[in-house]
Structures are given as C-alpha cells and as structure tokens.
Amino acid sequence: MKKSKPFPVPVRLGYSCRKCPAYCCTYEEIPVKARDIARLARHFGIEPAQAEARFTRLDEKGEARVLRHRKDEVFKTACMFLDRESRQCTVYESRPAICGDFPGGTRCGYYDFLKFERKHQEDPEFIALT
Ligand code: SF4
Ligand code: SF4
C-alpha cells in the first residue's frame, strides 16, 4: 500500500525577527564558508573572489573569512548587509547558512531578553542594548 505523507506539523516560533533590531547580525565575527561566498557572488552577479574581497575579511586569528561590518545607528556596528532602518537582511534569500540556522530552535535568547525589557519598560518599541 502506498504510504501517505505525514502532515507537516506547524511549528510555533517564540520569537519574531520583524520586531527585533537584529542582535544576531551584530556579532563581530560571522563566519562564512566558500559556498556562502559563492551564493553571495551569484546574488550580485560577480565572481566569488570579488565577493570574498568585498563582503568578507579575515577573523582576528587570521584563519577564517567573516562578514564585513559597517557602522550602525542602533548598535556600534552590524553586518554590512543589514538594512539600518528596516533592520532586515538585504540578502535574505542568499544569506550565509549560519544566518539561516540561527537561533537553532523555537526560541531566541535575544528575543526573550528584548521582550522582557519591553515589558519592564512598558514600551513596545524599546531597544535594549546588550
Ligand atoms: S536576534 Fe533572534 S529575534 Fe532577533 S533577528 Fe536574530 S534570530 Fe531574529
Ligand atoms: S547576512 Fe543578513 S542575516 Fe546574515 S548577519 Fe548579515 S544581515 Fe544578518
């Protein structure tokens, strides 16, 4: 007998990136692999070597490529691909795998912290700085 496909179980996420100032995009060193660089290169229609030079730098140890940062109005710096006003990723469909994997579960510690602070301050727009 043909096995019927199980219905996908909807997952309720305990966080909303749309309401967050993007804490996770402010990590100083967001590592990228060759395939992430190749995807970004395709996104911009350039060669991987150009993408590597434009969008990445070496980490502090000089061993791995990480995303470049630029000045940010909310935090000190943030990933160069973060829209500083909307707080959304400008390369969402082509973002590095590590970005898509974060936070790795149904909850985000940053978002819990943000929600707690907003409730405490009685201000739904409050941006808690880490
Ligand atoms: S810190 Fe958490 S809630 Fe905020 S953008 Fe990143 S994953 Fe989304
Ligand atoms: S590529 Fe996008 S999701 Fe990843 S850190 Fe940069 S802005 Fe955030």
Side-chain angles (χ1 to χ4, degrees), residues 24-25 30 67 79-82 88-92 95-96 99:
C24 57
C25 303
I30 300 169
L67 289 175
C79 169
M80 63 179 288
F81 294 122
L82 182 70
Q88 303 301 312
C89 177
T90 57
V91 293
Y92 188 80
R95 68 199 187 288
C99 304

Side-chain angles (χ1 to χ4, degrees), residues 1-128:
M1 201 167 89
K2 205 172 163 191
K3 232 178 165 183
S4 60
K5 269 193 184 171
F7 285 107
V9 180
V11 178
R12 185 180 284 262
L13 294 181
Y15 61 93
S16 169
C17 298
R18 295 236 156 243
K19 296 181 188 165
C20 175
Y23 294 101
C24 57
C25 303
T26 68
Y27 278 119
E28 270 182 38
E29 296 192 341
I30 300 169
V32 283
K33 300 220 159 68
R35 61 177 177 271
D36 298 314
I37 295 171
R39 198 177 317 111
L40 285 168
R42 277 198 301 279
H43 181 94
F44 289 99
I46 58 178
E47 291 300 315
Q50 288 175 294
E52 181 176 275
R54 272 191 215 171
F55 310 140
T56 74
R57 64 171 175 81
L58 276 175
D59 66 1
E60 211 165 294
K61 289 185 188 159
E63 291 170 358
R65 305 303 301 186
V66 297
L67 289 175
R68 285 186 186 276
H69 271 215
R70 60 178 182 165
K71 278 199 176 146
D72 186 54
E73 275 133 36
V74 177
F75 304 102
K76 212 164 121 198
T77 68
C79 169
M80 63 179 288
F81 294 122
L82 182 70
D83 183 308
R84 283 179 287 181
E85 282 185 18
S86 71
R87 313 305 296 174
Q88 303 301 312
C89 177
T90 57
V91 293
Y92 188 80
E93 297 303 329
S94 309
R95 68 199 187 288
I98 196 169
C99 304
D101 290 343
F102 192 85
T106 55
R107 299 199 76 91
C108 173
Y110 284 121
Y111 195 75
D112 286 344
F113 164 69
L114 182 67
K115 244 179 31 182
F116 174 84
E117 290 292 331
R118 284 180 174 172
K119 194 174 167 196
H120 190 68
Q121 301 290 335
E122 296 177 357
D123 178 357
E125 304 295 319
F126 183 73
I127 293 181

